[in-house]
Amino acid sequence: HKVTVMHFVPSMLGAFLNYLKEHPAALEKLGSLVQVFTSGEALTVHQNNTFFELLPTVSLMNLYGPTEAAIDVSYFKCAANATLIPIGKPIDNIQLY
């Protein structure tokens, strides 16, 4: 279906990445993928770095938002070889304290 954007909670992203490691041929089916968002849990450094090992040309964005609001309020554009994954900067029209 030529999917271009995917959104995962980090634990499901981890399962997806493990599947890709076990089935490298599946990577060929992801040629149209451009952007992956993750939110709802803390994204680990290991998940981030594994993502870029497997999908080096795909953008990964970590989103954060309080459960009470059920919405994302900040974003962080992830990069390969990270040592820390912060919650990032506020989205437009939002302030973080």
Side-chain angles (χ1 to χ4, degrees), residues 28-74:
E28 294 174 19
K29 296 179 181 179
L30 296 173
S32 61
L33 188 60
V34 175
Q35 175 75 58
V36 172
F37 293 98
T38 182
S39 65
E41 302 167 353
L43 178 66
T44 69
V45 169
H46 176 73
Q47 289 165 332
N48 177 86
N49 293 341
T50 301
F51 178 91
F52 285 106
E53 287 171 16
L54 296 170
L55 301 163
T57 63
V58 178
S59 177
L60 178 62
M61 190 75 64
N62 184 49
L63 306 175
Y64 170 81
T67 301
E68 298 81 12
I71 191 165
D72 298 316
V73 296
S74 69

